[in-house]
Amino acid sequence: MSNTHTLDALIQALRRLPGVGAKSAARMAFHLLQHDRAGAQVLSQALAQAAEQVQHCARCHTFTEAPVCATCLDPERDATRLCVVETPADQSALERTGAFRGLYFVLMGRLSPLDGVGPRDIGVQELLRRATDGVVQEVILATNFTSEGETTAHVVGEALRARGLRVTRLARGVPVGSELEYVDLGTIAHALADRR
Amino acid sequence: MSNTHTLDALIQALRRLPGVGAKSAARMAFHLLQHDRAGAQVLSQALAQAAEQVQHCARCHTFTEAPVCATCLDPERDATRLCVVETPADQSALERTGAFRGLYFVLMGRLSPLDGVGPRDIGVQELLRRATDGVVQEVILATNFTSEGETTAHVVGEALRARGLRVTRLARGVPVGSELEYVDLGTIAHALADRR
C-alpha cells in the first residue's frame, strides 16, 4: 500500500485478525490514520492490557482478570447445575436469556480433529474433575448444533455419563417466531420427535 | 460477552475498525486472547507506532514517516506529470502497473457533500498550488469511477483547467480479459464512444 515501513507493519498486523484480508487491513489502517488516530491509540492500549491481564478462570475456564471469575464466585447461583458451552460468547447468550441460574464450564473451543483440536485442548479432563465435585447433579450440554458441536457434546456426554452424572442437551426445535414453511426439514423432524 | 472489564474494553475498541460490528469484534478478541496473544501484542505496538509516526507528505499528502515521501524525492521520476488519486491504496495500484513514472497528489478522500467532505478536506488548494509550480505540464485525474470520484474529478479538473493546465482522465472502457456479454452497458457505451 505504501512506502512507509510503519504503515506496512500496521497492515500486516491487522491481517492477524480473523476474517481480515489484505484489502480490509489497508482500509482499516487508512481509516484509523486518516480519521481516527485516537481510536488507534485506544485500540493499542486495549490490546496490550487484555493480552497482559486476561487469564482463564481456574474453575470454568472463561476469560477473567481474577483467578476465579465473578460467576463462579457468586453464592446465589445454583451449583448443582453445570452448563457446558463452547465460548464466552455462547455463555453470554445464555446469560442474556435470564433462564439459567447455574454455573458454567467454558470449553474455549470444540473438538475438531481435522484442525488438530483434541479433548486435551478443550479441557475435557478438567471438566470431568469439575463435574464430579459431589455438588454438581446435572450437566447441560449447550455446545453448538453444528457437526463439531454435536461431536463435542457426544464425546463429553459419554465421559460424564460413565461417571454417573445426569447429562442433558439443549432442546432442538422450531425457533420462536418462525413459520414452518421456512424452517429446514431436519429441524422440523427433530421438533416432531421431541414434541411435548 | 463477558464479565471482565478489560475484555469488554477490547471489544469496544475493535468496533472502531471500519466494517467491524459487535459479533466480529467479540470473535476477534476471542481469537487473539485464545490463540494469538503474540499477535495482540504485535498489533498493539504497530498501532501505537503508526499513530505516532505516520504523517502526511508535505508535497503529495500521502502517508509517510518523513516530511517528504520517497516518491516525491525520487529524482528519476518525471516531475512534469502529476497523477491525482483518492487514497494511498489507489496510488499503490497505479504503481504496481509500472506504467506511470510521474509524481502523485493523494487527496486522502473524495468530495462527498452528504458526508460533509468539501474541497478543503481533500486539499484542493494545496493541489492547485502544487500543480502550478511551473514544472507540472499535465495533471492526470485518477479518482475512482464512482459518482463521488467523478464529481471530484470534475471539480478538481475545472479548477486546474482554469489555471491553464492540461488535464486528462484515465480512460473508461472494457476491462482486460472480460467478455462483452458480461460487461455493464454503461461501460460498453463509453468504450464505443472512446474507441481508437
Side-chain angles (χ1 to χ4, degrees):
Chain A
M1 171 172 172
S2 70
N3 45 31
T4 100
H5 172 71
T6 315
L7 184 53
D8 289 338
L10 174 57
I11 294 171
Q12 285 308 314
L14 284 165
R15 292 188 62 179
R16 291 178 86 139
L17 295 171
V20 176
K23 281 191 198 288
S24 300
R27 196 162 54 92
M28 287 172 170
F30 178 78
H31 173 81
L32 288 176
L33 292 175
Q34 186 68 8
H35 303 294
D36 192 14
R37 294 226 176 190
Q41 299 280 16
V42 166
L43 180 53
S44 168
Q45 280 156 29
L47 283 162
Q49 218 161 41
E52 197 176 300
Q53 294 176 11
V54 173
Q55 46 181 307
H56 292 285
C57 171
R59 296 200 78 202
C60 76
H61 285 195
T62 198
F63 289 132
T64 170
E65 284 146 68
V68 176
C69 77
T71 308
C72 283
L73 288 174
D74 185 347
E76 307 246 305
R77 303 200 66 120
D78 177 2
T80 64
R81 276 173 236 296
L82 188 69
C83 183
V84 177
V85 293
E86 291 182 17
T87 65
D90 297 334
Q91 177 183 10
S92 168
L94 279 161
E95 280 296 284
R96 288 200 303 276
T97 67
F100 182 69
R101 292 298 300 162
L103 295 173
Y104 292 91
F105 189 92
V106 186
L107 299 171
M108 289 289 177
R110 61 206 67 84
L111 287 180
S112 178
L114 290 178
D115 297 329
V117 180
R120 191 185 299 254
D121 301 298
I122 60 171
V124 171
Q125 282 306 321
E126 289 88 337
L127 168 58
L128 294 178
R129 212 174 304 128
R130 172 72 186 83
T132 53
D133 65 350
V135 180
V136 172
Q137 286 165 22
E138 177 187 1
V139 179
I140 300 154
L141 300 177
T143 54
N144 290 316
F145 287 88
T146 58
S147 62
E148 291 179 343
E150 294 279 21
T151 305
T152 307
H154 179 78
V155 171
V156 169
E158 289 301 296
L160 289 163
R161 276 193 201 92
R163 277 154 186 80
L165 282 154
R166 180 168 174 240
V167 178
T168 57
R169 179 92 170 101
L170 285 193
R172 271 174 292 218
V174 180
V176 174
S178 58
E179 297 177 59
L180 282 187
E181 184 181 351
Y182 301 107
V183 173
D184 73 289
L185 302 184
T187 299
I188 295 179
H190 274 296
L192 253 178
D194 296 348
R195 67 188 179 276
R196 36 172 288 172
Chain B
M1 170 174 175
S2 71
N3 46 30
T4 101
H5 171 70
T6 313
L7 184 53
D8 289 339
L10 174 56
I11 293 171
Q12 285 308 313
L14 284 165
R15 292 189 61 180
R16 292 178 85 140
L17 295 171
V20 176
K23 281 192 198 288
S24 300
R27 197 161 53 92
M28 287 172 171
F30 178 78
H31 172 81
L32 288 176
L33 292 176
Q34 187 68 11
H35 303 293
D36 192 14
R37 294 225 177 191
Q41 299 281 16
V42 166
L43 180 53
S44 168
Q45 279 156 28
L47 282 162
Q49 219 161 41
E52 198 177 297
Q53 293 176 9
V54 174
Q55 46 181 307
H56 292 285
C57 171
R59 296 200 80 202
C60 77
H61 284 196
T62 199
F63 289 132
T64 170
E65 284 146 68
V68 176
C69 77
T71 308
C72 283
L73 288 176
D74 186 348
E76 307 246 307
R77 302 200 66 119
D78 177 2
T80 64
R81 278 174 234 297
L82 188 70
C83 183
V84 178
V85 293
E86 293 183 15
T87 65
D90 297 335
Q91 177 183 9
S92 168
L94 280 161
E95 280 295 286
R96 287 199 304 275
T97 67
F100 182 69
R101 291 298 299 163
L103 295 171
Y104 292 91
F105 189 91
V106 186
L107 299 171
M108 289 290 179
R110 60 206 68 85
L111 287 179
S112 177
L114 290 178
D115 297 328
V117 180
R120 192 185 299 256
D121 301 298
I122 60 171
V124 171
Q125 282 306 319
E126 288 88 339
L127 167 58
L128 294 178
R129 212 175 304 129
R130 172 74 185 82
T132 54
D133 66 350
V135 179
V136 172
Q137 285 165 22
E138 178 187 0
V139 179
I140 300 154
L141 300 176
T143 55
N144 289 317
F145 287 88
T146 59
S147 62
E148 290 178 344
E150 294 279 22
T151 305
T152 306
H154 179 77
V155 170
V156 168
E158 289 299 298
L160 289 164
R161 276 191 202 93
R163 277 157 185 80
L165 283 154
R166 180 165 174 241
V167 178
T168 56
R169 180 90 169 102
L170 285 193
R172 271 174 293 218
V174 179
V176 173
S178 59
E179 297 179 58
L180 281 187
E181 185 180 351
Y182 301 107
V183 173
D184 73 289
L185 301 183
T187 298
I188 295 179
H190 274 297
L192 255 178
D194 295 348
R195 67 188 181 276
R196 36 171 288 175

